[in-house]
Amino acid sequence: MSKVTCDIGISVDGYVAGPNQSLENPLGEGAEHRLHRWMFEEPEAHAAELEAITAAGAFIMGRNMFGPDRGDWDLGWTGWWGEEPPYHAPVFVLAHHPREPVPMKGGTTFHFVTDGIEAAMARAREAAGDADVSVAGGASTVNQYLAAGLIDELRLHIAPVVLGAGERLFVGVGTPDLTPVSTRQTGLVTHVTYHFSR
């Protein structure tokens, strides 16, 4: 049976992005290389986790994860990932301003949803069919889906770093039940999977 998953890198003090996110620092100051070293320095050691991150049949993300601009769209902007994003599936971007879909190489198409998280989830489930749906981020988007009880499996990738400020996970989500499913640790990260329920 398909499920809704979420993979997200996080510091030990609960931040998934540092302060002052910008075009130059997409994940905030001091965060990108510290939170995600494991992806780039030891990809072979984390091959199963990396494969799981992009294995869904559809994805949901917030506008901040898609790009740095606010307000009206910069129609020349097509995401942080170059011509071929890693998703290879439909991606539904939560937004306040409408925009036509943006097809990319490799099967990724960005669709922009202006009528809320439930509408984005319905569209993602339809697009995914029998496959899983992944809530990709950022913190605000994940927190909204956690608060609504719409994530089944939460996979935290905990980096041994302290950011001290930025975008925090688990803000405004109440007191959900987290049941540990699995844990795997290396020198750069601890992968923890939880079953999430309200």
Side-chain angles (χ1 to χ4, degrees):
M1 182 176 172
S2 65
K3 59 185 178 287
V4 178
T5 66
C6 174
D7 284 90
I8 196 158
I10 188 170
S11 67
V12 294
D13 56 343
Y15 293 100
V16 301
N20 303 316
Q21 290 175 272
S22 65
L23 180 61
E24 295 75 23
N25 293 293
L27 286 178
E29 294 170 357
E32 185 165 5
H33 299 295
R34 297 173 70 207
L35 283 180
H36 300 119
R37 282 180 59 197
W38 62 275
M39 290 183 173
F40 305 107
E41 294 182 20
E42 296 181 344
E44 297 83 9
H46 304 278
E49 289 83 9
L50 289 169
E51 182 178 349
I53 289 171
T54 56
F59 298 83
I60 299 170
M61 67 176 60
R63 181 167 178 176
N64 196 38
M65 185 169 176
F66 177 76
D69 58 331
R70 301 294 175 269
D72 292 336
W73 289 103
D74 171 1
L75 297 180
W77 181 265
T78 57
W80 302 102
W81 305 275
E83 293 183 354
E84 187 173 346
Y87 303 103
H88 307 293
V91 178
F92 297 90
V93 181
L94 297 169
H96 294 294
H97 298 268
R99 181 176 177 180
E100 291 298 312
V102 177
M104 304 292 289
K105 290 182 179 177
T108 299
T109 297
F110 294 106
H111 302 271
F112 303 91
V113 182
T114 58
D115 46 354
I117 65 169
E118 290 85 0
M121 181 62 70
R123 291 183 63 185
R125 283 187 184 277
E126 182 179 3
D130 293 333
D132 292 346
V133 171
S134 175
V135 178
S140 175
T141 296
V142 173
N143 286 338
Q144 289 178 68
Y145 279 102
L146 289 173
L150 293 174
I151 292 176
D152 302 309
E153 189 170 280
L154 180 63
R155 304 169 189 157
L156 299 181
H157 307 285
I158 307 166
V161 300
V162 174
L163 293 180
E167 298 295 321
R168 190 183 286 277
L169 198 62
F170 301 120
V171 173
V173 302
T175 54
D177 292 325
L178 295 172
T179 304
V181 175
S182 65
T183 303
R184 192 172 80 84
Q185 179 180 348
T186 72
L188 295 181
V189 66
T190 301
H191 305 289
V192 183
T193 299
Y194 294 99
H195 175 75
F196 184 93
S197 61
R198 299 294 305 169

